[in-house]
Amino acid sequence: MHTIQGWAGLRLAGMALALGFLGLGPVVSADEIDTAADTTAADDLISTTGVADDAAAETVSAPVSTTPASPLVRFSTSGTFGDTSTISAGNLMNYNGIVQQTVRTPSNVSFGEFQVLPDLGANVSTTYDNTPFTVALTVGEVNGSVPNLNQTPIFIDAFLNGTITGETQSNVTATFDLDPENLPTFQVDDFIFTITKIDPVDIAPFTTNGGRTSIQGRIEAVQIPEPASIAVFLVALAGGLGLRRRALARKDA
């Protein structure tokens, strides 16, 4: 966990939290708070209290900015195949998107499905060689309301490799490019959603389930503190600063 040195750092953290979550300015990261606090804490303490002692440099934890949440979210998806020159003899499948699917997070969900075309002759074959594919996801409602702040659509990339031959054979796999350190994340109103996984997809031939193969994954959410909660934090922060100044004044006397 990041730490903030002294009361100047705590005050900076509170201001950043309030400005970021009330929409009055950009959200400030914990690293930025650390850097600013290191360069301003000592001077600020001297100018506001007249005291620069070791006790004033105590370490406090940064305030928690998010909590787990279970919003009801309605979303839709669409998909596009990229560079078709990587497909040896033309594309033999479609993508069927999701239309207004509703789930309560955290939840496993479908992001759509691949479907191999019917009526392929036994000698019809095509190979996918790192063929790019992209899923676009949009959110229409959260908890039954159209959001005011909406960072969708978001785009998730995949690559297809393998061969489809006729109606009875396919070894094509779609692998989604999800970096565990940089998962697809987006904000809708006061919720932050994350696509935590999308499983690799082994695409079935037409003779299996009509050639339909679902894309499965998981979506989770956390909630940004409400303005009222931030106000309570800031009031407590101001009270703590006042008590600290009075304690330092008595020590000086």
Side-chain angles (χ1 to χ4, degrees):
M1 177 179 291
H2 289 289
T3 57
I4 303 170
Q5 297 294 325
W7 290 103
L10 184 56
R11 183 163 62 254
L12 180 59
M15 292 173 63
L17 181 68
L19 290 175
F21 292 138
L22 290 175
L24 300 178
V27 175
V28 181
S29 70
D31 290 338
E32 291 170 329
I33 292 172
D34 286 345
T35 302
D38 288 343
T39 57
T40 63
D43 291 342
D44 189 59
L45 282 169
I46 293 172
S47 64
T48 57
T49 68
V51 177
D53 58 14
D54 292 339
E58 63 196 61
T59 299
V60 296
S61 297
V64 176
S65 61
T66 55
T67 54
S70 299
L72 192 68
V73 57
R74 191 188 77 190
F75 70 92
S76 301
T77 63
S78 63
T80 55
F81 293 87
D83 186 5
T84 55
S85 68
T86 61
I87 307 173
S88 65
N91 188 18
L92 297 182
M93 73 177 83
N94 292 321
Y95 167 82
N96 303 320
I98 293 295
V99 179
Q100 297 184 336
Q101 174 174 274
T102 300
V103 296
R104 186 174 298 280
T105 63
S107 182
N108 299 324
V109 297
S110 172
F111 291 95
E113 64 180 15
F114 293 105
Q115 184 170 20
V116 174
L117 300 179
D119 301 322
L120 299 177
N123 295 324
V124 174
S125 180
T126 195
T127 297
Y128 298 79
D129 182 11
N130 281 331
T131 301
F133 176 80
T134 301
V135 171
L137 180 147
T138 59
V139 170
E141 288 185 356
V142 173
N143 290 336
S145 299
V146 176
N148 294 314
L149 188 159
N150 191 342
Q151 290 185 340
T152 65
I154 64 163
F155 302 92
I156 307 166
D157 295 325
F159 293 92
L160 282 71
N161 286 279
T163 301
I164 295 172
T165 302
E167 293 189 335
T168 60
Q169 185 178 14
S170 170
N171 61 13
V172 177
T173 296
T175 304
F176 285 83
D177 187 20
L178 264 64
D179 178 0
E181 301 299 324
N182 188 28
L183 293 170
T185 300
F186 55 94
Q187 184 176 347
V188 180
D189 281 348
D190 59 344
F191 295 99
I192 296 176
F193 294 89
T194 302
I195 308 300
T196 57
K197 72 170 184 174
I198 300 182
D199 297 327
V201 179
D202 295 324
I203 297 168
F206 180 77
T207 50
T208 300
N209 195 35
R212 296 188 301 274
T213 306
S214 179
I215 302 169
Q216 298 292 318
R218 185 175 177 86
I219 185 169
E220 300 180 4
V222 294
Q223 186 169 19
I224 299 169
E226 297 176 356
S229 300
I230 298 172
V232 170
F233 167 75
L234 292 177
V235 168
L237 176 66
L241 288 172
L243 289 173
R244 179 63 176 170
R245 291 194 185 96
R246 286 194 293 273
L248 289 173
R250 284 196 299 270
K251 180 180 178 180
D252 251 0

